[in-house]
Amino acid sequence: MDFYSLLLIAIALSLDAFGVALCIGLNRGVRIKGRVLFSACSGFFQFLFAFIGAYAGVLFNTYIASVPKVIGGALISIVGILMLKEGFQNKGECPVIRPGTYFILGISVSIDAMVIGFTVLNNINNNLIILRNTLFIGVVTLIISSLAFVIAKYLKKIELLGKYADYIGGVILVIFGIKMMFF
């Protein structure tokens, strides 16, 4: 996988965390500790789930059957459609933050990374490359969610972007899935 495709996937996966981070950042009751904890959790779980998915995909391809690019592209498109659906269901509402929910939020914005790892990152038989790619996804998520807190601090009107982050991420994944299936 080339760098630009990996970067596009990492950005698309991190947009869920970006939207939640904007909502958290716009909440005046959340302290810096909570912001750092959310960014760390979202980055870590994006890495962990992408790694688990990629390793499971390698095992599946090796011992059961190879997942063709068409099936992988279709699954990525389905994840994108599910992100779009989630955006319609949330209607741009921000989650209520209580102590201890940062882990749950980090997990919830990262579950789609497991599917991406299983379908896209599984065709590499080198564990070091899988680790590098999944760490890259986690670091991009950490940076983008931290950036959301900086943006929310200075630009309170950016809430509109957080409202549509699920849509943007969903469209990017659908386009990437179509590209994977046909090109």
PDB file of all heavy atoms in Angstrom, residues 77-118:
ATOM      1  N   SER A  77     -16.615   0.090   1.691  1.00  0.00           N
ATOM      2  CA  SER A  77     -17.748   0.942   1.315  1.00  0.00           C
ATOM      3  C   SER A  77     -18.893   0.795   2.312  1.00  0.00           C
ATOM      4  O   SER A  77     -19.557   1.781   2.646  1.00  0.00           O
ATOM      5  CB  SER A  77     -18.230   0.595  -0.093  1.00  0.00           C
ATOM      6  OG  SER A  77     -17.236   0.909  -1.031  1.00  0.00           O
ATOM      7  N   ILE A  78     -19.125  -0.421   2.789  1.00  0.00           N
ATOM      8  CA  ILE A  78     -20.185  -0.642   3.787  1.00  0.00           C
ATOM      9  C   ILE A  78     -19.859   0.094   5.077  1.00  0.00           C
ATOM     10  O   ILE A  78     -20.743   0.709   5.688  1.00  0.00           O
ATOM     11  CB  ILE A  78     -20.394  -2.151   4.025  1.00  0.00           C
ATOM     12  CG1 ILE A  78     -21.053  -2.780   2.793  1.00  0.00           C
ATOM     13  CG2 ILE A  78     -21.221  -2.413   5.272  1.00  0.00           C
ATOM     14  CD1 ILE A  78     -21.085  -4.294   2.804  1.00  0.00           C
ATOM     15  N   VAL A  79     -18.588   0.063   5.509  1.00  0.00           N
ATOM     16  CA  VAL A  79     -18.194   0.821   6.706  1.00  0.00           C
ATOM     17  C   VAL A  79     -18.463   2.309   6.479  1.00  0.00           C
ATOM     18  O   VAL A  79     -18.967   3.007   7.367  1.00  0.00           O
ATOM     19  CB  VAL A  79     -16.713   0.565   7.060  1.00  0.00           C
ATOM     20  CG1 VAL A  79     -16.231   1.525   8.135  1.00  0.00           C
ATOM     21  CG2 VAL A  79     -16.522  -0.869   7.521  1.00  0.00           C
ATOM     22  N   GLY A  80     -18.144   2.815   5.290  1.00  0.00           N
ATOM     23  CA  GLY A  80     -18.426   4.220   4.977  1.00  0.00           C
ATOM     24  C   GLY A  80     -19.910   4.532   5.030  1.00  0.00           C
ATOM     25  O   GLY A  80     -20.326   5.567   5.565  1.00  0.00           O
ATOM     26  N   ILE A  81     -20.727   3.623   4.491  1.00  0.00           N
ATOM     27  CA  ILE A  81     -22.184   3.815   4.534  1.00  0.00           C
ATOM     28  C   ILE A  81     -22.682   3.795   5.979  1.00  0.00           C
ATOM     29  O   ILE A  81     -23.550   4.598   6.359  1.00  0.00           O
ATOM     30  CB  ILE A  81     -22.888   2.755   3.668  1.00  0.00           C
ATOM     31  CG1 ILE A  81     -22.591   3.026   2.189  1.00  0.00           C
ATOM     32  CG2 ILE A  81     -24.386   2.729   3.910  1.00  0.00           C
ATOM     33  CD1 ILE A  81     -22.979   1.893   1.252  1.00  0.00           C
ATOM     34  N   LEU A  82     -22.108   2.909   6.794  1.00  0.00           N
ATOM     35  CA  LEU A  82     -22.498   2.864   8.208  1.00  0.00           C
ATOM     36  C   LEU A  82     -22.109   4.154   8.931  1.00  0.00           C
ATOM     37  O   LEU A  82     -22.838   4.625   9.812  1.00  0.00           O
ATOM     38  CB  LEU A  82     -21.882   1.652   8.901  1.00  0.00           C
ATOM     39  CG  LEU A  82     -22.437   0.296   8.470  1.00  0.00           C
ATOM     40  CD1 LEU A  82     -21.659  -0.836   9.127  1.00  0.00           C
ATOM     41  CD2 LEU A  82     -23.923   0.187   8.798  1.00  0.00           C
ATOM     42  N   MET A  83     -20.963   4.740   8.548  1.00  0.00           N
ATOM     43  CA  MET A  83     -20.583   6.028   9.132  1.00  0.00           C
ATOM     44  C   MET A  83     -21.574   7.112   8.725  1.00  0.00           C
ATOM     45  O   MET A  83     -21.938   7.970   9.553  1.00  0.00           O
ATOM     46  CB  MET A  83     -19.170   6.410   8.708  1.00  0.00           C
ATOM     47  CG  MET A  83     -18.073   5.649   9.414  1.00  0.00           C
ATOM     48  SD  MET A  83     -16.424   6.079   8.830  1.00  0.00           S
ATOM     49  CE  MET A  83     -16.255   7.736   9.450  1.00  0.00           C
ATOM     50  N   LEU A  84     -22.006   7.081   7.478  1.00  0.00           N
ATOM     51  CA  LEU A  84     -23.021   8.045   7.028  1.00  0.00           C
ATOM     52  C   LEU A  84     -24.319   7.855   7.812  1.00  0.00           C
ATOM     53  O   LEU A  84     -24.945   8.826   8.245  1.00  0.00           O
ATOM     54  CB  LEU A  84     -23.274   7.895   5.532  1.00  0.00           C
ATOM     55  CG  LEU A  84     -22.156   8.365   4.613  1.00  0.00           C
ATOM     56  CD1 LEU A  84     -22.402   7.895   3.186  1.00  0.00           C
ATOM     57  CD2 LEU A  84     -22.031   9.873   4.666  1.00  0.00           C
ATOM     58  N   LYS A  85     -24.715   6.603   7.996  1.00  0.00           N
ATOM     59  CA  LYS A  85     -25.942   6.293   8.751  1.00  0.00           C
ATOM     60  C   LYS A  85     -25.823   6.784  10.192  1.00  0.00           C
ATOM     61  O   LYS A  85     -26.762   7.362  10.735  1.00  0.00           O
ATOM     62  CB  LYS A  85     -26.190   4.790   8.723  1.00  0.00           C
ATOM     63  CG  LYS A  85     -27.423   4.371   9.465  1.00  0.00           C
ATOM     64  CD  LYS A  85     -27.574   2.852   9.440  1.00  0.00           C
ATOM     65  CE  LYS A  85     -28.709   2.462  10.359  1.00  0.00           C
ATOM     66  NZ  LYS A  85     -28.470   1.221  11.036  1.00  0.00           N
ATOM     67  N   GLU A  86     -24.645   6.565  10.799  1.00  0.00           N
ATOM     68  CA  GLU A  86     -24.421   7.027  12.162  1.00  0.00           C
ATOM     69  C   GLU A  86     -24.536   8.545  12.255  1.00  0.00           C
ATOM     70  O   GLU A  86     -25.075   9.082  13.215  1.00  0.00           O
ATOM     71  CB  GLU A  86     -23.044   6.569  12.632  1.00  0.00           C
ATOM     72  CG  GLU A  86     -22.724   6.927  14.056  1.00  0.00           C
ATOM     73  CD  GLU A  86     -21.345   6.431  14.444  1.00  0.00           C
ATOM     74  OE1 GLU A  86     -21.007   5.286  14.126  1.00  0.00           O
ATOM     75  OE2 GLU A  86     -20.616   7.222  15.074  1.00  0.00           O
ATOM     76  N   GLY A  87     -24.040   9.228  11.226  1.00  0.00           N
ATOM     77  CA  GLY A  87     -24.151  10.685  11.194  1.00  0.00           C
ATOM     78  C   GLY A  87     -25.597  11.140  11.153  1.00  0.00           C
ATOM     79  O   GLY A  87     -25.980  12.105  11.805  1.00  0.00           O
ATOM     80  N   PHE A  88     -26.437  10.437  10.379  1.00  0.00           N
ATOM     81  CA  PHE A  88     -27.852  10.785  10.325  1.00  0.00           C
ATOM     82  C   PHE A  88     -28.549  10.502  11.652  1.00  0.00           C
ATOM     83  O   PHE A  88     -29.432  11.247  12.067  1.00  0.00           O
ATOM     84  CB  PHE A  88     -28.570  10.013   9.208  1.00  0.00           C
ATOM     85  CG  PHE A  88     -28.255  10.533   7.839  1.00  0.00           C
ATOM     86  CD1 PHE A  88     -27.641   9.718   6.901  1.00  0.00           C
ATOM     87  CD2 PHE A  88     -28.570  11.832   7.478  1.00  0.00           C
ATOM     88  CE1 PHE A  88     -27.347  10.186   5.631  1.00  0.00           C
ATOM     89  CE2 PHE A  88     -28.284  12.310   6.215  1.00  0.00           C
ATOM     90  CZ  PHE A  88     -27.667  11.488   5.293  1.00  0.00           C
ATOM     91  N   GLN A  89     -28.151   9.421  12.338  1.00  0.00           N
ATOM     92  CA  GLN A  89     -28.791   9.072  13.607  1.00  0.00           C
ATOM     93  C   GLN A  89     -28.393  10.027  14.718  1.00  0.00           C
ATOM     94  O   GLN A  89     -29.210  10.375  15.559  1.00  0.00           O
ATOM     95  CB  GLN A  89     -28.432   7.641  14.004  1.00  0.00           C
ATOM     96  CG  GLN A  89     -29.110   6.601  13.155  1.00  0.00           C
ATOM     97  CD  GLN A  89     -28.648   5.193  13.476  1.00  0.00           C
ATOM     98  OE1 GLN A  89     -27.638   4.984  14.119  1.00  0.00           O
ATOM     99  NE2 GLN A  89     -29.412   4.222  13.003  1.00  0.00           N
ATOM    100  N   ASN A  90     -27.123  10.451  14.748  1.00  0.00           N
ATOM    101  CA  ASN A  90     -26.664  11.353  15.803  1.00  0.00           C
ATOM    102  C   ASN A  90     -27.177  12.762  15.614  1.00  0.00           C
ATOM    103  O   ASN A  90     -27.285  13.517  16.572  1.00  0.00           O
ATOM    104  CB  ASN A  90     -25.137  11.380  15.861  1.00  0.00           C
ATOM    105  CG  ASN A  90     -24.571  10.105  16.401  1.00  0.00           C
ATOM    106  OD1 ASN A  90     -25.269   9.295  16.998  1.00  0.00           O
ATOM    107  ND2 ASN A  90     -23.287   9.902  16.185  1.00  0.00           N
ATOM    108  N   LYS A  91     -27.472  13.137  14.393  1.00  0.00           N
ATOM    109  CA  LYS A  91     -27.964  14.472  14.052  1.00  0.00           C
ATOM    110  C   LYS A  91     -27.062  15.577  14.592  1.00  0.00           C
ATOM    111  O   LYS A  91     -27.520  16.623  15.011  1.00  0.00           O
ATOM    112  CB  LYS A  91     -29.396  14.656  14.571  1.00  0.00           C
ATOM    113  CG  LYS A  91     -30.366  13.701  13.926  1.00  0.00           C
ATOM    114  CD  LYS A  91     -31.745  13.858  14.491  1.00  0.00           C
ATOM    115  CE  LYS A  91     -32.660  12.801  13.891  1.00  0.00           C
ATOM    116  NZ  LYS A  91     -33.925  12.706  14.532  1.00  0.00           N
ATOM    117  N   GLY A  92     -25.760  15.304  14.641  1.00  0.00           N
ATOM    118  CA  GLY A  92     -24.803  16.320  15.065  1.00  0.00           C
ATOM    119  C   GLY A  92     -24.762  16.563  16.554  1.00  0.00           C
ATOM    120  O   GLY A  92     -24.150  17.509  16.996  1.00  0.00           O
ATOM    121  N   GLU A  93     -25.374  15.712  17.339  1.00  0.00           N
ATOM    122  CA  GLU A  93     -25.378  15.920  18.779  1.00  0.00           C
ATOM    123  C   GLU A  93     -24.073  15.463  19.389  1.00  0.00           C
ATOM    124  O   GLU A  93     -23.489  14.467  18.977  1.00  0.00           O
ATOM    125  CB  GLU A  93     -26.539  15.153  19.417  1.00  0.00           C
ATOM    126  CG  GLU A  93     -27.889  15.653  18.974  1.00  0.00           C
ATOM    127  CD  GLU A  93     -29.016  14.784  19.491  1.00  0.00           C
ATOM    128  OE1 GLU A  93     -28.747  13.818  20.225  1.00  0.00           O
ATOM    129  OE2 GLU A  93     -30.156  15.076  19.148  1.00  0.00           O
ATOM    130  N   CYS A  94     -23.620  16.169  20.404  1.00  0.00           N
ATOM    131  CA  CYS A  94     -22.386  15.814  21.092  1.00  0.00           C
ATOM    132  C   CYS A  94     -22.696  14.851  22.234  1.00  0.00           C
ATOM    133  O   CYS A  94     -23.730  14.973  22.884  1.00  0.00           O
ATOM    134  CB  CYS A  94     -21.722  17.068  21.668  1.00  0.00           C
ATOM    135  SG  CYS A  94     -21.198  18.225  20.410  1.00  0.00           S
ATOM    136  N   PRO A  95     -21.779  13.910  22.479  1.00  0.00           N
ATOM    137  CA  PRO A  95     -22.012  12.971  23.573  1.00  0.00           C
ATOM    138  C   PRO A  95     -21.855  13.647  24.923  1.00  0.00           C
ATOM    139  O   PRO A  95     -21.111  14.612  25.067  1.00  0.00           O
ATOM    140  CB  PRO A  95     -20.927  11.920  23.362  1.00  0.00           C
ATOM    141  CG  PRO A  95     -19.850  12.632  22.615  1.00  0.00           C
ATOM    142  CD  PRO A  95     -20.542  13.656  21.770  1.00  0.00           C
ATOM    143  N   VAL A  96     -22.566  13.135  25.925  1.00  0.00           N
ATOM    144  CA  VAL A  96     -22.434  13.619  27.287  1.00  0.00           C
ATOM    145  C   VAL A  96     -21.183  12.980  27.876  1.00  0.00           C
ATOM    146  O   VAL A  96     -20.996  11.770  27.808  1.00  0.00           O
ATOM    147  CB  VAL A  96     -23.676  13.248  28.121  1.00  0.00           C
ATOM    148  CG1 VAL A  96     -23.498  13.683  29.558  1.00  0.00           C
ATOM    149  CG2 VAL A  96     -24.915  13.878  27.517  1.00  0.00           C
ATOM    150  N   ILE A  97     -20.303  13.799  28.454  1.00  0.00           N
ATOM    151  CA  ILE A  97     -19.031  13.304  28.951  1.00  0.00           C
ATOM    152  C   ILE A  97     -19.088  13.181  30.460  1.00  0.00           C
ATOM    153  O   ILE A  97     -19.370  14.141  31.169  1.00  0.00           O
ATOM    154  CB  ILE A  97     -17.877  14.254  28.560  1.00  0.00           C
ATOM    155  CG1 ILE A  97     -17.833  14.462  27.059  1.00  0.00           C
ATOM    156  CG2 ILE A  97     -16.554  13.720  29.081  1.00  0.00           C
ATOM    157  CD1 ILE A  97     -17.606  13.207  26.273  1.00  0.00           C
ATOM    158  N   ARG A  98     -18.817  11.964  30.925  1.00  0.00           N
ATOM    159  CA  ARG A  98     -18.687  11.693  32.356  1.00  0.00           C
ATOM    160  C   ARG A  98     -17.309  11.101  32.572  1.00  0.00           C
ATOM    161  O   ARG A  98     -16.719  10.546  31.647  1.00  0.00           O
ATOM    162  CB  ARG A  98     -19.760  10.691  32.795  1.00  0.00           C
ATOM    163  CG  ARG A  98     -21.156  11.229  32.649  1.00  0.00           C
ATOM    164  CD  ARG A  98     -22.170  10.247  33.230  1.00  0.00           C
ATOM    165  NE  ARG A  98     -23.496  10.654  32.786  1.00  0.00           N
ATOM    166  CZ  ARG A  98     -24.332   9.913  32.113  1.00  0.00           C
ATOM    167  NH1 ARG A  98     -24.005   8.680  31.787  1.00  0.00           N
ATOM    168  NH2 ARG A  98     -25.502  10.362  31.744  1.00  0.00           N
ATOM    169  N   PRO A  99     -16.805  11.169  33.787  1.00  0.00           N
ATOM    170  CA  PRO A  99     -15.498  10.539  34.033  1.00  0.00           C
ATOM    171  C   PRO A  99     -15.544   9.053  33.680  1.00  0.00           C
ATOM    172  O   PRO A  99     -16.481   8.348  33.993  1.00  0.00           O
ATOM    173  CB  PRO A  99     -15.296  10.734  35.545  1.00  0.00           C
ATOM    174  CG  PRO A  99     -16.139  11.922  35.885  1.00  0.00           C
ATOM    175  CD  PRO A  99     -17.321  11.872  34.956  1.00  0.00           C
ATOM    176  N   GLY A 100     -14.533   8.587  33.007  1.00  0.00           N
ATOM    177  CA  GLY A 100     -14.461   7.179  32.634  1.00  0.00           C
ATOM    178  C   GLY A 100     -15.046   6.856  31.267  1.00  0.00           C
ATOM    179  O   GLY A 100     -14.887   5.751  30.779  1.00  0.00           O
ATOM    180  N   THR A 101     -15.714   7.800  30.647  1.00  0.00           N
ATOM    181  CA  THR A 101     -16.311   7.508  29.337  1.00  0.00           C
ATOM    182  C   THR A 101     -15.343   7.733  28.179  1.00  0.00           C
ATOM    183  O   THR A 101     -15.666   7.400  27.048  1.00  0.00           O
ATOM    184  CB  THR A 101     -17.570   8.364  29.085  1.00  0.00           C
ATOM    185  OG1 THR A 101     -17.213   9.735  29.146  1.00  0.00           O
ATOM    186  CG2 THR A 101     -18.654   8.053  30.078  1.00  0.00           C
ATOM    187  N   TYR A 102     -14.175   8.268  28.470  1.00  0.00           N
ATOM    188  CA  TYR A 102     -13.210   8.514  27.404  1.00  0.00           C
ATOM    189  C   TYR A 102     -12.744   7.209  26.761  1.00  0.00           C
ATOM    190  O   TYR A 102     -12.513   7.152  25.553  1.00  0.00           O
ATOM    191  CB  TYR A 102     -12.011   9.309  27.926  1.00  0.00           C
ATOM    192  CG  TYR A 102     -12.424  10.660  28.441  1.00  0.00           C
ATOM    193  CD1 TYR A 102     -12.457  10.940  29.796  1.00  0.00           C
ATOM    194  CD2 TYR A 102     -12.816  11.658  27.549  1.00  0.00           C
ATOM    195  CE1 TYR A 102     -12.853  12.174  30.262  1.00  0.00           C
ATOM    196  CE2 TYR A 102     -13.211  12.898  28.003  1.00  0.00           C
ATOM    197  CZ  TYR A 102     -13.229  13.150  29.365  1.00  0.00           C
ATOM    198  OH  TYR A 102     -13.626  14.372  29.818  1.00  0.00           O
ATOM    199  N   PHE A 103     -12.611   6.155  27.568  1.00  0.00           N
ATOM    200  CA  PHE A 103     -12.229   4.848  27.013  1.00  0.00           C
ATOM    201  C   PHE A 103     -13.320   4.313  26.101  1.00  0.00           C
ATOM    202  O   PHE A 103     -13.047   3.802  25.025  1.00  0.00           O
ATOM    203  CB  PHE A 103     -11.946   3.850  28.141  1.00  0.00           C
ATOM    204  CG  PHE A 103     -10.720   4.186  28.929  1.00  0.00           C
ATOM    205  CD1 PHE A 103     -10.822   4.785  30.177  1.00  0.00           C
ATOM    206  CD2 PHE A 103      -9.465   3.916  28.417  1.00  0.00           C
ATOM    207  CE1 PHE A 103      -9.690   5.095  30.899  1.00  0.00           C
ATOM    208  CE2 PHE A 103      -8.321   4.230  29.133  1.00  0.00           C
ATOM    209  CZ  PHE A 103      -8.436   4.827  30.384  1.00  0.00           C
ATOM    210  N   ILE A 104     -14.554   4.439  26.552  1.00  0.00           N
ATOM    211  CA  ILE A 104     -15.681   3.953  25.744  1.00  0.00           C
ATOM    212  C   ILE A 104     -15.781   4.743  24.448  1.00  0.00           C
ATOM    213  O   ILE A 104     -15.995   4.174  23.375  1.00  0.00           O
ATOM    214  CB  ILE A 104     -16.990   4.029  26.547  1.00  0.00           C
ATOM    215  CG1 ILE A 104     -16.916   3.081  27.740  1.00  0.00           C
ATOM    216  CG2 ILE A 104     -18.194   3.714  25.679  1.00  0.00           C
ATOM    217  CD1 ILE A 104     -18.004   3.253  28.763  1.00  0.00           C
ATOM    218  N   LEU A 105     -15.603   6.057  24.532  1.00  0.00           N
ATOM    219  CA  LEU A 105     -15.625   6.875  23.319  1.00  0.00           C
ATOM    220  C   LEU A 105     -14.463   6.528  22.399  1.00  0.00           C
ATOM    221  O   LEU A 105     -14.627   6.452  21.182  1.00  0.00           O
ATOM    222  CB  LEU A 105     -15.586   8.366  23.677  1.00  0.00           C
ATOM    223  CG  LEU A 105     -16.870   8.949  24.230  1.00  0.00           C
ATOM    224  CD1 LEU A 105     -16.622  10.367  24.724  1.00  0.00           C
ATOM    225  CD2 LEU A 105     -17.955   8.932  23.192  1.00  0.00           C
ATOM    226  N   GLY A 106     -13.279   6.297  22.976  1.00  0.00           N
ATOM    227  CA  GLY A 106     -12.120   5.904  22.174  1.00  0.00           C
ATOM    228  C   GLY A 106     -12.356   4.595  21.444  1.00  0.00           C
ATOM    229  O   GLY A 106     -11.995   4.444  20.273  1.00  0.00           O
ATOM    230  N   ILE A 107     -12.988   3.652  22.115  1.00  0.00           N
ATOM    231  CA  ILE A 107     -13.314   2.375  21.485  1.00  0.00           C
ATOM    232  C   ILE A 107     -14.381   2.565  20.415  1.00  0.00           C
ATOM    233  O   ILE A 107     -14.285   2.030  19.316  1.00  0.00           O
ATOM    234  CB  ILE A 107     -13.766   1.348  22.546  1.00  0.00           C
ATOM    235  CG1 ILE A 107     -12.581   0.934  23.420  1.00  0.00           C
ATOM    236  CG2 ILE A 107     -14.407   0.124  21.903  1.00  0.00           C
ATOM    237  CD1 ILE A 107     -12.961   0.131  24.644  1.00  0.00           C
ATOM    238  N   SER A 108     -15.399   3.342  20.721  1.00  0.00           N
ATOM    239  CA  SER A 108     -16.521   3.477  19.791  1.00  0.00           C
ATOM    240  C   SER A 108     -16.123   4.168  18.481  1.00  0.00           C
ATOM    241  O   SER A 108     -16.683   3.849  17.439  1.00  0.00           O
ATOM    242  CB  SER A 108     -17.678   4.232  20.444  1.00  0.00           C
ATOM    243  OG  SER A 108     -17.345   5.585  20.648  1.00  0.00           O
ATOM    244  N   VAL A 109     -15.165   5.090  18.527  1.00  0.00           N
ATOM    245  CA  VAL A 109     -14.752   5.748  17.288  1.00  0.00           C
ATOM    246  C   VAL A 109     -13.696   4.939  16.546  1.00  0.00           C
ATOM    247  O   VAL A 109     -13.274   5.327  15.454  1.00  0.00           O
ATOM    248  CB  VAL A 109     -14.236   7.193  17.531  1.00  0.00           C
ATOM    249  CG1 VAL A 109     -15.315   8.062  18.129  1.00  0.00           C
ATOM    250  CG2 VAL A 109     -12.978   7.202  18.375  1.00  0.00           C
ATOM    251  N   SER A 110     -13.283   3.809  17.112  1.00  0.00           N
ATOM    252  CA  SER A 110     -12.191   3.025  16.533  1.00  0.00           C
ATOM    253  C   SER A 110     -12.598   1.659  16.007  1.00  0.00           C
ATOM    254  O   SER A 110     -11.775   0.969  15.416  1.00  0.00           O
ATOM    255  CB  SER A 110     -11.089   2.837  17.584  1.00  0.00           C
ATOM    256  OG  SER A 110     -10.630   4.083  18.038  1.00  0.00           O
ATOM    257  N   ILE A 111     -13.815   1.250  16.211  1.00  0.00           N
ATOM    258  CA  ILE A 111     -14.219  -0.093  15.811  1.00  0.00           C
ATOM    259  C   ILE A 111     -14.096  -0.286  14.300  1.00  0.00           C
ATOM    260  O   ILE A 111     -13.705  -1.358  13.832  1.00  0.00           O
ATOM    261  CB  ILE A 111     -15.640  -0.398  16.318  1.00  0.00           C
ATOM    262  CG1 ILE A 111     -15.583  -0.558  17.835  1.00  0.00           C
ATOM    263  CG2 ILE A 111     -16.214  -1.628  15.667  1.00  0.00           C
ATOM    264  CD1 ILE A 111     -16.881  -0.792  18.507  1.00  0.00           C
ATOM    265  N   ASP A 112     -14.387   0.730  13.530  1.00  0.00           N
ATOM    266  CA  ASP A 112     -14.273   0.596  12.077  1.00  0.00           C
ATOM    267  C   ASP A 112     -12.837   0.346  11.630  1.00  0.00           C
ATOM    268  O   ASP A 112     -12.602  -0.202  10.558  1.00  0.00           O
ATOM    269  CB  ASP A 112     -14.854   1.821  11.370  1.00  0.00           C
ATOM    270  CG  ASP A 112     -14.336   3.144  11.898  1.00  0.00           C
ATOM    271  OD1 ASP A 112     -13.611   3.143  12.914  1.00  0.00           O
ATOM    272  OD2 ASP A 112     -14.674   4.176  11.315  1.00  0.00           O
ATOM    273  N   ALA A 113     -11.852   0.692  12.456  1.00  0.00           N
ATOM    274  CA  ALA A 113     -10.447   0.437  12.110  1.00  0.00           C
ATOM    275  C   ALA A 113     -10.160  -1.060  12.022  1.00  0.00           C
ATOM    276  O   ALA A 113      -9.294  -1.489  11.253  1.00  0.00           O
ATOM    277  CB  ALA A 113      -9.523   1.084  13.135  1.00  0.00           C
ATOM    278  N   MET A 114     -10.897  -1.873  12.785  1.00  0.00           N
ATOM    279  CA  MET A 114     -10.686  -3.313  12.723  1.00  0.00           C
ATOM    280  C   MET A 114     -11.090  -3.863  11.354  1.00  0.00           C
ATOM    281  O   MET A 114     -10.400  -4.706  10.778  1.00  0.00           O
ATOM    282  CB  MET A 114     -11.472  -4.021  13.835  1.00  0.00           C
ATOM    283  CG  MET A 114     -11.067  -5.465  14.020  1.00  0.00           C
ATOM    284  SD  MET A 114     -11.880  -6.284  15.390  1.00  0.00           S
ATOM    285  CE  MET A 114     -11.346  -5.337  16.776  1.00  0.00           C
ATOM    286  N   VAL A 115     -12.195  -3.378  10.832  1.00  0.00           N
ATOM    287  CA  VAL A 115     -12.648  -3.826   9.510  1.00  0.00           C
ATOM    288  C   VAL A 115     -11.655  -3.380   8.439  1.00  0.00           C
ATOM    289  O   VAL A 115     -11.310  -4.149   7.539  1.00  0.00           O
ATOM    290  CB  VAL A 115     -14.062  -3.289   9.203  1.00  0.00           C
ATOM    291  CG1 VAL A 115     -14.492  -3.644   7.805  1.00  0.00           C
ATOM    292  CG2 VAL A 115     -15.058  -3.800  10.229  1.00  0.00           C
ATOM    293  N   ILE A 116     -11.177  -2.160   8.551  1.00  0.00           N
ATOM    294  CA  ILE A 116     -10.207  -1.653   7.583  1.00  0.00           C
ATOM    295  C   ILE A 116      -8.918  -2.465   7.660  1.00  0.00           C
ATOM    296  O   ILE A 116      -8.333  -2.828   6.642  1.00  0.00           O
ATOM    297  CB  ILE A 116      -9.934  -0.155   7.807  1.00  0.00           C
ATOM    298  CG1 ILE A 116     -11.210   0.659   7.647  1.00  0.00           C
ATOM    299  CG2 ILE A 116      -8.829   0.344   6.881  1.00  0.00           C
ATOM    300  CD1 ILE A 116     -11.879   0.550   6.304  1.00  0.00           C
ATOM    301  N   GLY A 117      -8.469  -2.767   8.872  1.00  0.00           N
ATOM    302  CA  GLY A 117      -7.281  -3.598   9.024  1.00  0.00           C
ATOM    303  C   GLY A 117      -7.465  -4.969   8.408  1.00  0.00           C
ATOM    304  O   GLY A 117      -6.573  -5.486   7.728  1.00  0.00           O
ATOM    305  N   PHE A 118      -8.623  -5.555   8.611  1.00  0.00           N
ATOM    306  CA  PHE A 118      -8.908  -6.893   8.087  1.00  0.00           C
ATOM    307  C   PHE A 118      -8.939  -6.913   6.567  1.00  0.00           C
ATOM    308  O   PHE A 118      -8.474  -7.856   5.943  1.00  0.00           O
ATOM    309  CB  PHE A 118     -10.241  -7.394   8.647  1.00  0.00           C
ATOM    310  CG  PHE A 118     -10.542  -8.828   8.293  1.00  0.00           C
ATOM    311  CD1 PHE A 118     -10.013  -9.859   9.045  1.00  0.00           C
ATOM    312  CD2 PHE A 118     -11.349  -9.138   7.219  1.00  0.00           C
ATOM    313  CE1 PHE A 118     -10.286 -11.180   8.734  1.00  0.00           C
ATOM    314  CE2 PHE A 118     -11.627 -10.451   6.883  1.00  0.00           C
ATOM    315  CZ  PHE A 118     -11.085 -11.485   7.652  1.00  0.00           C
TER     316      PHE A 118
END
